[in-house]
Amino acid sequence: MSKWFPKFYDTLMEPLERRGFRDIRKELIHKATGIVLEIGSGTGFNFPYYEDTQVIKVFAVEPEPLMREQSLARAARATVPIEVILARGEELPFPDNSFDTIVGTLVLCTIPDPFKALEEIRRVCKPDGQILFFEHVRLNHPVLSRLQDWLTPLWKHLCDGCHLNRNTLQIIKKAGFEVVRIKRYYKDIFLVIEVQNKKLQ
């Protein structure tokens, strides 16, 4: 990852946060319970929203050292214990069936191998545990989806691997998860996807 992207990430995201992302994050995080794993925690935008939840502790994994470092101040201010670990979503350093809830916000678009990350999420999530995603997706529109395809190579270069055209909902379904609820925002380009981790115990 380039050094400029972590440095200016909060500044770039702030207009979106003010225009609705904060409310979406807060509503999503308040559904989390128990021991939580947050995938790709970035600079810790979600950390303040674990307040007044049924969360006992959060383990947050972030592969980018600069973003992890920036997130530590938010973790220290949080009212729920948050441990931020340098790790990749495709290689989670936790035993099987460790977490009651797994959270991912605007992260599956950047993970190089989302199927592998989802396999790891399934492994470390308890049977019937909940998985909460807030993601942007490929649009179901003949013109706009092609525009996403056209922009993605440049966008990936500028935004360190973010795929504008990744069909994240389809990937989650293909990975075998049970999607229990979808909420759509901003003309369907952003989705909140609630998933149940159905697997044999």
Side-chain angles (χ1 to χ4, degrees):
M1 181 177 283
S2 64
K3 291 185 178 181
W4 77 266
F5 190 72
K7 184 176 180 181
F8 293 104
Y9 181 78
D10 284 9
T11 302
L12 294 171
M13 288 296 295
E14 186 57 31
L16 292 171
E17 297 296 322
R18 289 198 308 268
R19 290 178 178 270
F21 278 21
R22 286 175 183 162
D23 293 336
I24 295 170
R25 291 179 190 271
K26 187 172 183 178
E27 182 179 351
L28 185 74
I29 296 300
H30 274 233
K31 296 179 180 180
T33 61
I35 305 297
V36 173
L37 172 64
E38 183 169 329
I39 303 289
S41 52
T43 60
F45 267 117
N46 292 330
F47 294 172
Y49 307 128
Y50 288 103
E51 185 177 6
D52 298 326
T53 66
Q54 298 180 57
V55 172
I56 298 168
K57 182 173 180 178
V58 178
F59 292 85
V61 297
E62 170 54 46
E64 166 50 49
L66 293 176
M67 296 189 91
R68 175 190 175 274
E69 183 178 348
Q70 290 179 73
S71 76
L72 296 179
R74 285 188 173 119
R77 292 193 299 268
T79 57
V80 172
I82 299 178
E83 181 177 346
V84 188
I85 299 164
L86 193 66
R88 299 169 63 242
E90 299 96 329
E91 297 176 355
L92 296 174
F94 306 105
D96 296 357
N97 305 323
S98 295
F99 299 99
D100 302 291
T101 304
I102 297 182
V103 172
T105 59
L106 306 177
V107 64
L108 289 177
C109 57
T110 59
I111 292 178
D113 189 342
F115 283 106
K116 178 61 177 173
L118 288 167
E119 287 178 6
E120 282 287 272
I121 287 171
R122 179 186 294 282
R123 179 183 68 80
V124 302
C125 187
K126 292 179 180 179
D128 292 322
Q130 64 173 338
I131 305 162
L132 307 172
F133 292 115
F134 169 43
E135 301 287 345
H136 67 75
V137 298
R138 180 182 174 87
L139 289 166
N140 185 22
H141 187 282
V143 176
L144 296 179
S145 61
R146 289 182 182 179
L147 180 61
Q148 286 178 302
D149 292 340
W150 184 77
L151 288 172
T152 289
L154 177 61
W155 191 264
K156 283 170 59 180
H157 178 72
L158 293 175
C159 299
D160 293 287
C162 176
H163 294 70
L164 279 176
N165 61 346
R166 182 167 282 175
N167 195 333
T168 299
L169 178 59
Q170 183 179 352
I171 290 171
I172 290 170
K173 289 179 176 178
K174 282 187 174 181
F177 290 98
E178 180 182 343
V179 176
V180 297
R181 189 173 294 104
I182 299 171
K183 195 169 182 180
R184 302 175 184 273
Y185 297 90
Y186 304 103
K187 306 294 185 181
D188 294 349
I189 196 169
F190 290 95
L191 304 182
V192 165
I193 307 165
E194 298 181 37
V195 174
Q196 201 76 22
N197 190 34
K198 296 292 184 182
K199 66 178 180 180
L200 296 176
Q201 300 190 34

